Amino acid sequence: MQPLQVDNKKIVDSAGNPVYLRGTCIGSWLNKENFLTGFLGTDLVMTRTMYQELGKERADAFFKTYHDVFITDADFRYLSSIGMNVARIAVNYRFFEDDMNPFQYRPEGFHYLDKAVAFGRAHGIYIILDLHALPGGQNYRWHSDNNSGSALLWEHRDFQKRAIALWKHIAQHYKDEPVIAGYDLINEPEAPDLHVLRDFYEELIAAIRSAGDRHIIFLEGNNRGNDFDGLDELSDENVAYSSHNYNYVTLQARSYPGQCCGRKVNADVLEQIFKRRNHWMLERNLPSWCGEFSTFFDGGILNPTVQDFARLSALRDQLLIFNRYDQHWTIWTYKDIGHEGLVCTDPASEYYRRISPLQTIKRELSLEPFLDRKIGGVFADVQNIIQKTARSVALNYHDYSLEYDSLIKSMGEQSICCRITETLAPLYANAFSDMTADEIVSMVKEAFSFEHMLQREPLEEVLRTALQTND
């Protein structure tokens, strides 16, 4: 495989041939996310709770087996077989260092990433390293392994120094590795303003370049990949830009073309959404990567609904639009327990059987706002509290100008994902409390090894079609 670089709008190999990076994100492997694998809260809360409830031997058995089998050569062989040439791997900084021992990097930190690089080399798949969770939290959200409720990365210089040093550490390890397409420096940043983000990007890039690393740098816009204005002032030229392209049609449509959220939706509407989201890169003719997008499958992998197929049709059009505008893209996500994944845990597996009551509780209470679209459950109660506050302010001050929508969103997600779920986290660990370490190993292998997963054939067909133009 040849090293890649940016050449004007294009990404090219060492011979100058254009390469379109199109594939999938590998989430919940090296940065675990609750709705993808069925636990509660954040990666850190889940990990701590497993050790507290099950003890070291059984918790070690669970996590080592999980990381060993979640991604293997068989997974990369499958991705290559359907035409993918890139995998974006979400990584948690905790794989490299502990908060109580900053700047002290674990020698085993690269163990699984090195395996992924070897798999990629064997099957012609480039790797984009995505730092999905940064020290202190680049946003306040659970998927960044942040249960503090604040994006402290932007408030404490010590956290920033750790992130800078970590990226230099990664660059020193991979600076001569052609399988690495590049580095996605910060997943979904929520900096105070874009100037703060731009200045921090400059520091991260300088650290990587000081290690002699010339890989492509992928930069996400502020406010979760939406705001880019000002990032073109960066000094480095080997840079591409990444937006996240979730939209209400592929997430909520019940018919397509048809009506969704009170609006007529079709391919033209999807193109308008894409152009609004990515106008900054399109207007400047810059290399652009749609780093995340997806559709939900509410009926599950074995019994898809009519609505599931409608959203798949919308996804098909979304991918055709990406290709028409020469976008690089990686769909979220490759493997999970059945909500989004291209391959999914078998509902008949022992793991799924044991966590099934917990999944029912989570859906009844709407404890996963992203998956549940913030409908009902305790999230509705949070909305009522904020609405009562707004009404009181309106009655007593005659003021209707305060911003409540963001408060509803942040208060709801913080209260639900970082507090209620933290309290309920032992329910997940206790689902395995009657098992021996050997039984846990067998259960995890059955749940997450490729040979035991179910393939979502309708999604695979849509992706195969889109990948036919992948040069």
Side-chain angles (χ1 to χ4, degrees), residues 238-283:
N238 201 27
V239 169
Y241 298 88
S242 176
S243 61
H244 287 186
N245 280 251
Y246 297 102
N247 69 71
Y248 68 96
V249 185
T250 58
L251 298 182
Q252 293 182 255
R254 68 176 184 273
S255 63
Y256 180 88
Q259 294 286 326
C260 181
C261 301
R263 306 164 191 163
K264 180 180 178 181
V265 293
N266 53 29
D268 290 338
V269 171
L270 286 176
E271 185 172 12
Q272 292 168 15
I273 293 172
F274 164 77
K275 291 170 72 173
R276 284 197 302 270
R277 180 68 57 85
N278 298 277
H279 72 92
W280 187 84
M281 288 83 83
L282 295 173
E283 291 168 0

Short mmCIF file of all heavy atoms in Angstrom, two decimals, residues 238-283:
data_model
loop_
_atom_site.label_atom_id
_atom_site.label_comp_id
_atom_site.label_asym_id
_atom_site.label_seq_id
_atom_site.Cartn_x
_atom_site.Cartn_y
_atom_site.Cartn_z
N ASN A 238 -1.10 19.57 4.22
CA ASN A 238 -1.52 18.17 4.06
C ASN A 238 -2.70 17.88 4.99
O ASN A 238 -2.63 17.06 5.90
CB ASN A 238 -0.36 17.23 4.35
CG ASN A 238 -0.57 15.86 3.74
OD1 ASN A 238 -1.26 15.71 2.73
ND2 ASN A 238 0.02 14.85 4.34
N VAL A 239 -3.80 18.61 4.74
CA VAL A 239 -4.96 18.62 5.63
C VAL A 239 -6.22 18.38 4.81
O VAL A 239 -6.38 18.91 3.71
CB VAL A 239 -5.06 19.97 6.38
CG1 VAL A 239 -6.39 20.11 7.09
CG2 VAL A 239 -3.92 20.11 7.38
N ALA A 240 -7.12 17.58 5.36
CA ALA A 240 -8.47 17.40 4.81
C ALA A 240 -9.46 17.70 5.92
O ALA A 240 -9.11 17.73 7.10
CB ALA A 240 -8.65 15.99 4.27
N TYR A 241 -10.72 17.90 5.55
CA TYR A 241 -11.72 18.36 6.51
C TYR A 241 -12.87 17.36 6.60
O TYR A 241 -13.28 16.78 5.59
CB TYR A 241 -12.24 19.75 6.10
CG TYR A 241 -11.13 20.77 6.10
CD1 TYR A 241 -10.34 20.97 4.97
CD2 TYR A 241 -10.83 21.48 7.26
CE1 TYR A 241 -9.30 21.88 4.98
CE2 TYR A 241 -9.78 22.39 7.27
CZ TYR A 241 -9.03 22.58 6.14
OH TYR A 241 -7.98 23.47 6.16
N SER A 242 -13.35 17.17 7.81
CA SER A 242 -14.33 16.12 8.06
C SER A 242 -15.59 16.67 8.71
O SER A 242 -15.53 17.30 9.77
CB SER A 242 -13.72 15.04 8.98
OG SER A 242 -14.69 14.07 9.31
N SER A 243 -16.71 16.41 8.06
CA SER A 243 -18.02 16.75 8.63
C SER A 243 -18.74 15.46 9.00
O SER A 243 -18.43 14.39 8.47
CB SER A 243 -18.86 17.52 7.61
OG SER A 243 -19.08 16.72 6.45
N HIS A 244 -19.69 15.58 9.92
CA HIS A 244 -20.55 14.45 10.25
C HIS A 244 -21.93 14.73 9.69
O HIS A 244 -22.50 15.80 9.91
CB HIS A 244 -20.59 14.23 11.76
CG HIS A 244 -19.31 13.64 12.28
ND1 HIS A 244 -19.14 13.23 13.59
CD2 HIS A 244 -18.14 13.39 11.66
CE1 HIS A 244 -17.93 12.76 13.75
NE2 HIS A 244 -17.29 12.85 12.60
N ASN A 245 -22.44 13.77 8.92
CA ASN A 245 -23.61 14.01 8.09
C ASN A 245 -24.84 13.21 8.51
O ASN A 245 -25.53 12.61 7.68
CB ASN A 245 -23.27 13.72 6.63
CG ASN A 245 -22.53 14.87 5.96
OD1 ASN A 245 -23.07 15.56 5.11
ND2 ASN A 245 -21.28 15.07 6.35
N TYR A 246 -25.13 13.17 9.80
CA TYR A 246 -26.40 12.61 10.25
C TYR A 246 -27.53 13.55 9.81
O TYR A 246 -27.39 14.78 9.86
CB TYR A 246 -26.41 12.46 11.77
CG TYR A 246 -25.38 11.49 12.29
CD1 TYR A 246 -24.20 11.94 12.86
CD2 TYR A 246 -25.59 10.12 12.21
CE1 TYR A 246 -23.24 11.05 13.34
CE2 TYR A 246 -24.65 9.22 12.69
CZ TYR A 246 -23.47 9.70 13.25
OH TYR A 246 -22.54 8.81 13.71
N ASN A 247 -28.65 12.99 9.39
CA ASN A 247 -29.78 13.84 9.03
C ASN A 247 -31.09 13.17 9.43
O ASN A 247 -31.14 11.95 9.62
CB ASN A 247 -29.76 14.19 7.54
CG ASN A 247 -30.06 13.01 6.65
OD1 ASN A 247 -31.20 12.55 6.59
ND2 ASN A 247 -29.04 12.50 5.95
N TYR A 248 -32.12 13.97 9.55
CA TYR A 248 -33.38 13.48 10.08
C TYR A 248 -34.05 12.48 9.15
O TYR A 248 -34.83 11.63 9.59
CB TYR A 248 -34.33 14.65 10.36
CG TYR A 248 -34.84 15.39 9.14
CD1 TYR A 248 -36.07 15.08 8.59
CD2 TYR A 248 -34.10 16.41 8.55
CE1 TYR A 248 -36.56 15.75 7.47
CE2 TYR A 248 -34.57 17.09 7.44
CZ TYR A 248 -35.79 16.76 6.90
OH TYR A 248 -36.26 17.43 5.80
N VAL A 249 -33.73 12.49 7.87
CA VAL A 249 -34.38 11.59 6.93
C VAL A 249 -33.88 10.16 7.14
O VAL A 249 -34.68 9.22 7.29
CB VAL A 249 -34.13 12.02 5.47
CG1 VAL A 249 -34.93 11.13 4.52
CG2 VAL A 249 -34.52 13.49 5.28
N THR A 250 -32.56 9.95 7.16
CA THR A 250 -32.03 8.60 7.32
C THR A 250 -32.21 8.08 8.75
O THR A 250 -32.09 6.87 8.99
CB THR A 250 -30.54 8.53 6.95
OG1 THR A 250 -29.80 9.45 7.77
CG2 THR A 250 -30.34 8.87 5.48
N LEU A 251 -32.50 8.96 9.69
CA LEU A 251 -32.69 8.53 11.07
C LEU A 251 -34.15 8.35 11.46
O LEU A 251 -34.47 7.59 12.37
CB LEU A 251 -32.04 9.53 12.03
CG LEU A 251 -30.52 9.70 11.91
CD1 LEU A 251 -30.02 10.69 12.97
CD2 LEU A 251 -29.78 8.38 12.04
N GLN A 252 -35.08 9.04 10.76
CA GLN A 252 -36.46 9.05 11.23
C GLN A 252 -37.52 8.75 10.18
O GLN A 252 -38.68 8.55 10.54
CB GLN A 252 -36.77 10.44 11.85
CG GLN A 252 -36.02 10.73 13.12
CD GLN A 252 -36.40 12.07 13.72
OE1 GLN A 252 -35.67 13.04 13.64
NE2 GLN A 252 -37.58 12.13 14.32
N ALA A 253 -37.18 8.72 8.91
CA ALA A 253 -38.20 8.59 7.87
C ALA A 253 -38.98 7.28 8.01
O ALA A 253 -38.41 6.24 8.34
CB ALA A 253 -37.56 8.67 6.49
N ARG A 254 -40.28 7.35 7.76
CA ARG A 254 -41.11 6.14 7.73
C ARG A 254 -41.47 5.76 6.29
O ARG A 254 -41.94 4.66 6.03
CB ARG A 254 -42.37 6.32 8.56
CG ARG A 254 -43.37 7.30 8.01
CD ARG A 254 -44.65 7.33 8.85
NE ARG A 254 -45.66 8.20 8.29
CZ ARG A 254 -45.74 9.51 8.53
NH1 ARG A 254 -44.86 10.08 9.33
NH2 ARG A 254 -46.68 10.24 7.98
N SER A 255 -41.28 6.71 5.36
CA SER A 255 -41.45 6.43 3.94
C SER A 255 -40.46 7.31 3.20
O SER A 255 -40.13 8.42 3.64
CB SER A 255 -42.88 6.73 3.48
OG SER A 255 -43.18 8.11 3.63
N TYR A 256 -39.97 6.79 2.06
CA TYR A 256 -39.01 7.56 1.27
C TYR A 256 -39.04 7.07 -0.17
O TYR A 256 -38.92 5.87 -0.41
CB TYR A 256 -37.60 7.42 1.84
CG TYR A 256 -36.59 8.19 1.03
CD1 TYR A 256 -36.34 9.54 1.33
CD2 TYR A 256 -35.92 7.62 -0.04
CE1 TYR A 256 -35.44 10.27 0.58
CE2 TYR A 256 -35.03 8.35 -0.81
CZ TYR A 256 -34.79 9.67 -0.49
OH TYR A 256 -33.92 10.41 -1.24
N PRO A 257 -39.21 8.02 -1.13
CA PRO A 257 -39.57 9.41 -0.92
C PRO A 257 -40.94 9.50 -0.24
O PRO A 257 -41.76 8.61 -0.41
CB PRO A 257 -39.62 9.99 -2.33
CG PRO A 257 -38.83 9.03 -3.18
CD PRO A 257 -39.05 7.69 -2.56
N GLY A 258 -41.13 10.58 0.48
CA GLY A 258 -42.38 10.70 1.22
C GLY A 258 -42.34 11.88 2.16
O GLY A 258 -41.73 12.91 1.86
N GLN A 259 -42.99 11.72 3.31
CA GLN A 259 -43.05 12.76 4.31
C GLN A 259 -42.23 12.35 5.52
O GLN A 259 -42.25 11.18 5.94
CB GLN A 259 -44.50 12.99 4.75
CG GLN A 259 -45.40 13.57 3.67
CD GLN A 259 -45.13 15.04 3.42
OE1 GLN A 259 -44.79 15.78 4.34
NE2 GLN A 259 -45.27 15.46 2.17
N CYS A 260 -41.50 13.30 6.08
CA CYS A 260 -40.72 13.06 7.30
C CYS A 260 -40.66 14.34 8.09
O CYS A 260 -40.28 15.40 7.56
CB CYS A 260 -39.31 12.56 6.96
SG CYS A 260 -38.29 12.20 8.41
N CYS A 261 -41.07 14.27 9.35
CA CYS A 261 -41.06 15.44 10.23
C CYS A 261 -41.85 16.60 9.62
O CYS A 261 -41.47 17.77 9.72
CB CYS A 261 -39.64 15.88 10.55
SG CYS A 261 -38.64 14.61 11.36
N GLY A 262 -42.96 16.26 8.97
CA GLY A 262 -43.83 17.28 8.40
C GLY A 262 -43.33 17.89 7.11
O GLY A 262 -43.88 18.90 6.65
N ARG A 263 -42.30 17.30 6.50
CA ARG A 263 -41.75 17.85 5.27
C ARG A 263 -41.70 16.78 4.20
O ARG A 263 -41.54 15.60 4.49
CB ARG A 263 -40.32 18.37 5.52
CG ARG A 263 -40.22 19.37 6.66
CD ARG A 263 -38.77 19.52 7.08
NE ARG A 263 -38.68 20.26 8.34
CZ ARG A 263 -37.61 20.27 9.12
NH1 ARG A 263 -36.54 19.58 8.77
NH2 ARG A 263 -37.59 20.97 10.24
N LYS A 264 -41.77 17.22 2.95
CA LYS A 264 -41.59 16.31 1.84
C LYS A 264 -40.10 16.01 1.71
O LYS A 264 -39.27 16.93 1.71
CB LYS A 264 -42.11 16.95 0.54
CG LYS A 264 -41.96 16.06 -0.68
CD LYS A 264 -42.49 16.76 -1.92
CE LYS A 264 -42.30 15.88 -3.15
NZ LYS A 264 -42.80 16.55 -4.38
N VAL A 265 -39.74 14.73 1.61
CA VAL A 265 -38.33 14.37 1.52
C VAL A 265 -38.10 13.49 0.30
O VAL A 265 -38.89 12.60 -0.02
CB VAL A 265 -37.85 13.65 2.79
CG1 VAL A 265 -37.86 14.60 3.98
CG2 VAL A 265 -38.68 12.41 3.10
N ASN A 266 -36.98 13.76 -0.38
CA ASN A 266 -36.56 12.99 -1.55
C ASN A 266 -35.07 13.24 -1.75
O ASN A 266 -34.41 13.85 -0.90
CB ASN A 266 -37.38 13.37 -2.79
CG ASN A 266 -37.38 14.87 -3.04
OD1 ASN A 266 -36.42 15.56 -2.70
ND2 ASN A 266 -38.44 15.38 -3.65
N ALA A 267 -34.54 12.79 -2.87
CA ALA A 267 -33.11 12.95 -3.12
C ALA A 267 -32.69 14.41 -3.19
O ALA A 267 -31.59 14.78 -2.77
CB ALA A 267 -32.71 12.21 -4.40
N ASP A 268 -33.57 15.25 -3.74
CA ASP A 268 -33.24 16.68 -3.82
C ASP A 268 -33.09 17.28 -2.42
O ASP A 268 -32.19 18.11 -2.18
CB ASP A 268 -34.32 17.43 -4.59
CG ASP A 268 -34.33 17.09 -6.07
OD1 ASP A 268 -33.28 16.62 -6.57
OD2 ASP A 268 -35.37 17.29 -6.72
N VAL A 269 -33.95 16.87 -1.50
CA VAL A 269 -33.85 17.37 -0.13
C VAL A 269 -32.55 16.89 0.51
O VAL A 269 -31.85 17.65 1.19
CB VAL A 269 -35.07 16.91 0.70
CG1 VAL A 269 -34.87 17.23 2.18
CG2 VAL A 269 -36.34 17.58 0.18
N LEU A 270 -32.21 15.63 0.30
CA LEU A 270 -30.96 15.11 0.85
C LEU A 270 -29.75 15.86 0.29
O LEU A 270 -28.79 16.13 1.01
CB LEU A 270 -30.83 13.62 0.55
CG LEU A 270 -31.72 12.68 1.36
CD1 LEU A 270 -31.55 11.26 0.87
CD2 LEU A 270 -31.42 12.77 2.85
N GLU A 271 -29.80 16.21 -0.97
CA GLU A 271 -28.70 16.96 -1.57
C GLU A 271 -28.60 18.36 -0.96
O GLU A 271 -27.50 18.86 -0.70
CB GLU A 271 -28.86 17.06 -3.09
CG GLU A 271 -27.68 17.73 -3.78
CD GLU A 271 -27.77 17.65 -5.29
OE1 GLU A 271 -28.85 17.29 -5.80
OE2 GLU A 271 -26.76 17.94 -5.95
N GLN A 272 -29.75 18.98 -0.72
CA GLN A 272 -29.74 20.29 -0.07
C GLN A 272 -29.15 20.22 1.33
O GLN A 272 -28.36 21.09 1.74
CB GLN A 272 -31.16 20.85 -0.02
CG GLN A 272 -31.75 21.21 -1.37
CD GLN A 272 -33.25 21.47 -1.30
OE1 GLN A 272 -33.81 21.65 -0.21
NE2 GLN A 272 -33.90 21.46 -2.45
N ILE A 273 -29.51 19.17 2.07
CA ILE A 273 -28.97 18.99 3.42
C ILE A 273 -27.45 18.82 3.34
O ILE A 273 -26.70 19.44 4.11
CB ILE A 273 -29.60 17.77 4.10
CG1 ILE A 273 -31.09 18.01 4.37
CG2 ILE A 273 -28.88 17.44 5.42
CD1 ILE A 273 -31.84 16.78 4.85
N PHE A 274 -26.99 17.99 2.41
CA PHE A 274 -25.56 17.78 2.25
C PHE A 274 -24.83 19.08 1.92
O PHE A 274 -23.78 19.39 2.50
CB PHE A 274 -25.31 16.75 1.14
CG PHE A 274 -23.89 16.74 0.65
CD1 PHE A 274 -22.89 16.14 1.40
CD2 PHE A 274 -23.55 17.35 -0.55
CE1 PHE A 274 -21.56 16.16 0.96
CE2 PHE A 274 -22.25 17.38 -1.00
CZ PHE A 274 -21.25 16.77 -0.24
N LYS A 275 -25.37 19.85 0.99
CA LYS A 275 -24.69 21.07 0.57
C LYS A 275 -24.66 22.11 1.68
O LYS A 275 -23.68 22.85 1.82
CB LYS A 275 -25.38 21.63 -0.69
CG LYS A 275 -25.15 20.74 -1.91
CD LYS A 275 -26.02 21.15 -3.09
CE LYS A 275 -25.58 22.43 -3.72
NZ LYS A 275 -26.35 22.72 -4.96
N ARG A 276 -25.71 22.16 2.49
CA ARG A 276 -25.69 23.09 3.64
C ARG A 276 -24.63 22.66 4.65
O ARG A 276 -23.89 23.49 5.18
CB ARG A 276 -27.06 23.13 4.32
CG ARG A 276 -28.11 23.93 3.59
CD ARG A 276 -29.28 24.28 4.50
NE ARG A 276 -29.91 23.10 5.06
CZ ARG A 276 -30.93 22.46 4.48
NH1 ARG A 276 -31.40 22.88 3.31
NH2 ARG A 276 -31.48 21.41 5.06
N ARG A 277 -24.55 21.37 4.92
CA ARG A 277 -23.60 20.87 5.92
C ARG A 277 -22.16 21.04 5.46
O ARG A 277 -21.26 21.30 6.27
CB ARG A 277 -23.90 19.39 6.19
CG ARG A 277 -23.00 18.72 7.21
CD ARG A 277 -23.21 19.26 8.62
NE ARG A 277 -24.57 19.14 9.06
CZ ARG A 277 -25.11 18.06 9.62
NH1 ARG A 277 -24.35 16.99 9.81
NH2 ARG A 277 -26.36 18.05 10.00
N ASN A 278 -21.92 20.91 4.16
CA ASN A 278 -20.56 20.86 3.64
C ASN A 278 -20.20 22.04 2.75
O ASN A 278 -19.20 21.98 2.02
CB ASN A 278 -20.36 19.55 2.87
CG ASN A 278 -20.54 18.32 3.75
OD1 ASN A 278 -19.63 17.90 4.44
ND2 ASN A 278 -21.74 17.77 3.72
N HIS A 279 -20.99 23.11 2.83
CA HIS A 279 -20.79 24.22 1.90
C HIS A 279 -19.40 24.83 2.03
O HIS A 279 -18.81 25.27 1.03
CB HIS A 279 -21.86 25.31 2.13
CG HIS A 279 -21.67 26.09 3.39
ND1 HIS A 279 -20.95 27.26 3.45
CD2 HIS A 279 -22.09 25.85 4.66
CE1 HIS A 279 -20.95 27.71 4.69
NE2 HIS A 279 -21.63 26.88 5.44
N TRP A 280 -18.84 24.87 3.22
CA TRP A 280 -17.55 25.51 3.44
C TRP A 280 -16.46 24.82 2.62
O TRP A 280 -15.65 25.46 1.96
CB TRP A 280 -17.21 25.48 4.93
CG TRP A 280 -15.99 26.24 5.31
CD1 TRP A 280 -15.88 27.57 5.57
CD2 TRP A 280 -14.67 25.68 5.49
NE1 TRP A 280 -14.58 27.89 5.89
CE2 TRP A 280 -13.82 26.75 5.85
CE3 TRP A 280 -14.15 24.40 5.38
CZ2 TRP A 280 -12.46 26.57 6.10
CZ3 TRP A 280 -12.79 24.22 5.63
CH2 TRP A 280 -11.97 25.29 5.98
N MET A 281 -16.43 23.48 2.64
CA MET A 281 -15.44 22.74 1.85
C MET A 281 -15.74 22.83 0.35
O MET A 281 -14.83 22.98 -0.47
CB MET A 281 -15.41 21.27 2.28
CG MET A 281 -14.78 21.02 3.64
SD MET A 281 -15.93 21.28 5.01
CE MET A 281 -16.78 19.71 5.03
N LEU A 282 -17.03 22.75 0.00
CA LEU A 282 -17.39 22.78 -1.42
C LEU A 282 -17.04 24.12 -2.05
O LEU A 282 -16.52 24.18 -3.17
CB LEU A 282 -18.89 22.50 -1.57
CG LEU A 282 -19.38 21.11 -1.14
CD1 LEU A 282 -20.89 21.05 -1.18
CD2 LEU A 282 -18.76 20.02 -2.00
N GLU A 283 -17.32 25.20 -1.35
CA GLU A 283 -17.03 26.53 -1.89
C GLU A 283 -15.54 26.77 -2.07
O GLU A 283 -15.12 27.51 -2.97
CB GLU A 283 -17.62 27.60 -0.97
CG GLU A 283 -19.14 27.63 -0.96
CD GLU A 283 -19.69 28.48 0.17
OE1 GLU A 283 -18.89 29.05 0.95
OE2 GLU A 283 -20.94 28.58 0.28
#
